[in-house]
Each structure stands twice: as structure tokens, then as C-alpha cells.
Amino acid sequence: MQKETIERIRKFTEDRNWDQFHSPANLAKSISIEANELLECFQWSDTDYDINEVKEELADVLVYCRNMLDKLGLDEDEIVNAKMSKNEAKYPIEKAKGVATKYDKL
Amino acid sequence: MQKETIERIRKFTEDRNWDQFHSPANLAKSISIEANELLECFQWSDTDYDINEVKEELADVLVYCRNMLDKLGLDEDEIVNAKMSKNEAKYPIEKAKGVATKYDKL
Amino acid sequence: MQKETIERIRKFTEDRNWDQFHSPANLAKSISIEANELLECFQWSDTDYDINEVKEELADVLVYCRNMLDKLGLDEDEIVNAKMSKNEAKYPIEKAKGVATKYDKL
Amino acid sequence: MQKETIERIRKFTEDRNWDQFHSPANLAKSISIEANELLECFQWSDTDYDINEVKEELADVLVYCRNMLDKLGLDEDEIVNAKMSKNEAKYPIEKAKGVATKYDKL
């Protein structure tokens, strides 16, 4: 996400005095709620979805994720890279290639 | 997210031939599943959470969001800015300031 | 659910002094968390699932729903019948037959 | 749930020819989606919720759980009792009393 976009999200919250509602727990609920509005785009069909609704709901998830990163003072690239290192170790290419098996059953 | 991080996520999927599992519907399910692992950090308490678990689960949500952006050829800043324009119109500052009321009840 | 099963769920909570954690909000989080463990059974395939895992996760959802009914003093049949009346009105047979369209688009 | 309520739910689905949409995977998505509409009642406050909305959303979760039980030919009491036996073993009273610690950390 570009700096301008991040600043726009922050300003939106500040202008409305909404930081008071953005406890980490409330933001976790919000991410799940929006993730399920995204999931609703695929409720009855995997292939017949409305791309405009998907864009909006995915954007909502990303905005609340940004709110949580800000609230907890986290750096997105740092936490993602740390998790990717774990994932790369948990799913060695030779074992995981082409199979959707969870790591504890590999 | 920086280019290197995005490239790392893409390479992880490619190296394992996992693109075949990344239908938009499966990724929507995955975002919800990871969002709920994040929510689990706050299941019984809003304030007594393990920040390291929060970091990992939030990272998982962000990685699957990136997978979905890639799968659908979407630009993160574009969809977020489009949604922010809508949000700004739905929640006028003078009405929304300091209240957590949903737009359809403002 | 039979009376004995309901009593067993209640006794489980009482024996562990867990009623203190069962705020309606925490139970709502718990229902979502377990619903997503159920969803995880279908994360990468709609048809290749482990029926034993499905049974366990569905049971977990049902147990937390029972906890919430108890906590709020609700009667399951009463709230389900009230909602079914609404659903029957929202989805008239002649319009809804054979289509998975949401009521606001029917 | 009483027999009449269960029959009403079944008739609702049959009258609309909706069994075709009720794959186990679609029902799992639906349970999660409704669980999150329930969670939305508690999005910004744990205590200031609309009980009528809670009743409706909890009913929706229960209806989709019933759909899934029917679809898979499962007996609610059987799967719940089997899971309660596991829970009772995983959370021995003397260890779990008064603490919300997950079993793998007890």
C-alpha cells in the first residue's frame, strides 16, 4: 500500500474520532466480519461472483488490517517476512509441491 | 507491502505449484479462516493477548489477501482508494464523529 | 438437542467455573471461530473432506450456540420459528424456487 | 430443536428446490457468514447489543447447522455427545477450573 493510501485511511479514522473504537480485539472482529462479507460473494457458487463486490469487500479487509497494524505499531513487511520464513520451513518444496496437505500431516 | 515481500509470496506459491488451489473462492475461505485464528487471540479477553501470535495471524491474513489480489489482477491501492471514497461519503464527518453507528442508521 | 445433552453441556461449564468467560460477545467470537474450523475442512476442496473432523467442528459450533441460548435465556424453537416466518416471507416460493438469489435482489 | 421446527426447516428448503445449493462446503460457508453477522452485533461493544438482532442471527446459524446435519445424515445428540466426551477428557476439572487456557497449554 502506498503512503498516500495509508495516510488517507489514518485521516479517515482521525477525522471521525474513531480511534477510541479501534481496540485490537474490535479490529480482529472487524477483519473477520469483512472477511465473511467477502466470503458471501462465493456463498453459493465458486465461479459466478460479482467482481465489484469482491473488490469492495477485499478492500474492507485490507483497511481493517491497516488499522490493526497502525494500532499495534507493526510493520507490515516485517511481520509478513517473519511469517514467510516460518511457512518456507513448514512447507519444504520437495514435500509440499502440488499438494494442499496441511504441514502437520505432510 | 514492498516489492520484495510481494515477490517472496509469489515465489512461495509458484515453487510449490499451489496456484492450482488458489481459486478466488478458496482464497476467500482462507482469508476468513486466518481472520478467525487472529480472532482466537482475543477469544476470552480483549486485553490479555499474545502479541507474537497476533503478528503471525495478521500476517497470514495479509498473505492470503495478497494471493487474492494477484489471482484477480487487482491493484491494492486502487481498490482501497475506491472503497475509501465510498466510506467517506457514507460516513460524513459531522454525523459520524465519535459514534460507532452503522451508516444505514446514521 | 435432547435434555440430557443440554444438561451435559451446562454441567461441563459449571464444573469448570467457565460461566464467567461466557459473555454474549465472547460466545459470538467462539461461534465464529469454531465455524471457521468447520470451514477449514473444506478449505481446498468442496468434496474431499474428513467426515470425522466435520462432525467434531459442527458439534463445537452447536455447543457454543447452546451456551449462548442459555446465557441469554433464549428458547431455540422460539427464535428459529420467528426467523423462519421472516424467511418464508422474504423468499416467496414462486420467486425463490430453484434460484440462490439473495432476497434483496429477487 | 423440536420435530415440528426441524420439519419446517426441511419443508422450506424443499419448497424452494434449494437442496441443490446445500453442498456441505456451501453450508460451512453459510454457517461462518451467519456467525459473523451475529458477531457484528458485538463489533464495537461487548455490552451494548440489540437482542432482537442477536436472536435473528443466532437463529440463522442454527438453521444452517440443521441443514448440514440433514445433508450429512448426522444425529445432533450423537455428534455433540461424542465431542463432549473429548472435551471432558481434554479439560480435566482440576486443571481447567476457572481458567480460560487452551487445552494444549494446560
Side-chain angles (χ1 to χ4, degrees):
Chain A
M1 218 182 273
Q2 286 166 11
K3 264 198 181 161
E4 294 75 18
T5 313
I6 294 177
E7 285 310 326
R8 186 175 183 176
I9 294 172
R10 288 178 183 158
K11 190 174 171 350
F12 180 82
T13 301
E14 279 164 32
D15 282 349
R16 284 158 191 75
N17 253 337
W18 280 359
D19 185 64
Q20 60 184 310
F21 305 120
H22 286 189
S23 67
N26 285 356
L27 292 172
K29 284 182 266 177
S30 301
I31 293 169
S32 174
I33 291 166
E34 295 300 338
N36 275 272
E37 295 188 4
L38 176 59
L39 185 61
E40 200 180 343
C41 300
F42 305 94
Q43 185 171 12
W44 304 116
S45 168
D46 282 13
T47 49
D48 182 21
Y49 52 86
D50 180 329
I51 186 69
N52 288 316
E53 289 184 13
V54 170
K55 282 178 186 180
E56 291 202 4
E57 303 305 344
L58 180 55
D60 281 334
V61 175
L62 289 163
V63 169
Y64 278 125
C65 286
R66 167 47 53 187
N67 289 151
M68 188 175 254
L69 290 166
D70 281 353
K71 188 70 186 189
L72 295 171
L74 301 174
D75 180 81
E76 184 182 24
D77 289 279
E78 197 179 302
I79 67 166
V80 169
N81 276 297
K83 193 55 179 22
M84 289 307 295
S85 296
K86 279 210 167 185
N87 289 348
E88 287 158 5
K90 268 160 72 175
Y91 294 98
I93 297 175
E94 63 277 16
K95 280 194 184 176
K97 196 161 187 166
V99 291
T101 314
K102 215 179 161 177
Y103 69 93
D104 54 4
K105 294 182 181 165
L106 267 185
Chain B
M1 217 182 271
Q2 285 167 10
K3 265 198 181 165
E4 294 74 18
T5 313
I6 295 177
E7 285 310 325
R8 185 174 183 177
I9 295 173
R10 287 178 184 158
K11 190 175 173 343
F12 180 82
T13 301
E14 278 164 33
D15 281 349
R16 284 156 190 78
N17 251 338
W18 279 359
D19 185 65
Q20 58 183 310
F21 304 120
H22 285 191
S23 67
N26 285 355
L27 292 172
K29 284 182 266 176
S30 302
I31 293 169
S32 174
I33 290 165
E34 296 299 338
N36 275 274
E37 295 187 4
L38 176 59
L39 185 61
E40 200 179 344
C41 300
F42 305 94
Q43 186 171 9
W44 303 116
S45 168
D46 281 13
T47 50
D48 182 21
Y49 52 86
D50 180 329
I51 186 67
N52 289 317
E53 287 183 14
V54 170
K55 281 180 187 180
E56 291 202 3
E57 302 304 345
L58 180 54
D60 282 334
V61 175
L62 288 163
V63 169
Y64 278 126
C65 285
R66 167 47 53 189
N67 288 150
M68 187 176 256
L69 289 165
D70 281 354
K71 189 68 185 189
L72 295 171
L74 300 174
D75 181 81
E76 184 181 26
D77 289 278
E78 197 179 302
I79 66 166
V80 168
N81 276 298
K83 192 54 180 20
M84 288 307 293
S85 296
K86 279 210 169 189
N87 289 349
E88 287 157 5
K90 268 161 71 175
Y91 294 97
I93 297 176
E94 64 276 17
K95 282 195 184 175
K97 196 159 187 167
V99 292
T101 314
K102 213 179 164 179
Y103 69 94
D104 53 3
K105 292 181 183 167
L106 268 185
Chain C
M1 218 182 271
Q2 285 168 11
K3 265 197 181 164
E4 294 75 19
T5 312
I6 294 176
E7 285 310 326
R8 185 175 184 177
I9 294 172
R10 288 178 183 158
K11 193 177 173 342
F12 180 82
T13 301
E14 280 164 32
D15 282 350
R16 285 158 189 76
N17 254 337
W18 280 359
D19 185 63
Q20 59 184 310
F21 305 119
H22 285 189
S23 66
N26 285 355
L27 292 172
K29 283 182 266 176
S30 302
I31 293 170
S32 174
I33 291 164
E34 295 300 338
N36 275 273
E37 295 188 3
L38 176 59
L39 186 61
E40 200 179 344
C41 300
F42 305 94
Q43 186 171 10
W44 303 116
S45 167
D46 282 13
T47 49
D48 182 21
Y49 52 86
D50 179 328
I51 187 68
N52 289 317
E53 288 183 14
V54 170
K55 281 180 187 180
E56 291 202 4
E57 302 304 345
L58 181 54
D60 281 335
V61 175
L62 288 163
V63 169
Y64 278 126
C65 286
R66 168 45 56 189
N67 288 151
M68 187 175 256
L69 290 165
D70 281 354
K71 189 68 185 190
L72 296 171
L74 300 174
D75 181 81
E76 183 182 26
D77 289 277
E78 200 179 298
I79 66 166
V80 168
N81 276 297
K83 194 52 179 23
M84 289 307 295
S85 295
K86 278 210 169 187
N87 289 348
E88 287 157 6
K90 267 160 71 175
Y91 294 97
I93 297 176
E94 64 276 18
K95 281 195 183 175
K97 197 161 187 167
V99 291
T101 314
K102 215 181 163 178
Y103 69 93
D104 54 4
K105 292 183 183 167
L106 265 185
Chain D
M1 218 182 271
Q2 285 167 11
K3 264 197 182 164
E4 293 75 18
T5 313
I6 295 177
E7 286 309 326
R8 186 175 182 175
I9 294 173
R10 288 177 182 159
K11 191 176 173 343
F12 179 82
T13 301
E14 279 165 33
D15 282 350
R16 285 158 190 76
N17 254 336
W18 280 359
D19 185 64
Q20 59 184 310
F21 305 119
H22 285 189
S23 67
N26 286 354
L27 292 172
K29 285 182 266 176
S30 302
I31 292 169
S32 174
I33 291 165
E34 296 299 337
N36 275 273
E37 296 189 2
L38 177 59
L39 185 62
E40 200 180 343
C41 299
F42 305 93
Q43 186 171 10
W44 304 116
S45 168
D46 282 13
T47 50
D48 182 22
Y49 52 86
D50 180 329
I51 186 68
N52 288 316
E53 288 184 13
V54 170
K55 282 180 186 181
E56 290 202 5
E57 302 305 345
L58 180 54
D60 281 335
V61 175
L62 288 163
V63 169
Y64 278 126
C65 285
R66 167 46 54 188
N67 289 150
M68 188 176 254
L69 290 165
D70 281 354
K71 189 68 186 191
L72 296 172
L74 301 174
D75 181 81
E76 184 181 25
D77 289 278
E78 199 179 300
I79 66 166
V80 169
N81 276 297
K83 193 55 179 21
M84 289 307 295
S85 296
K86 279 211 167 184
N87 289 348
E88 287 157 6
K90 268 159 71 173
Y91 293 99
I93 296 176
E94 63 276 15
K95 282 196 183 174
K97 197 161 187 167
V99 292
T101 314
K102 214 179 163 178
Y103 70 94
D104 53 4
K105 293 182 182 167
L106 267 185

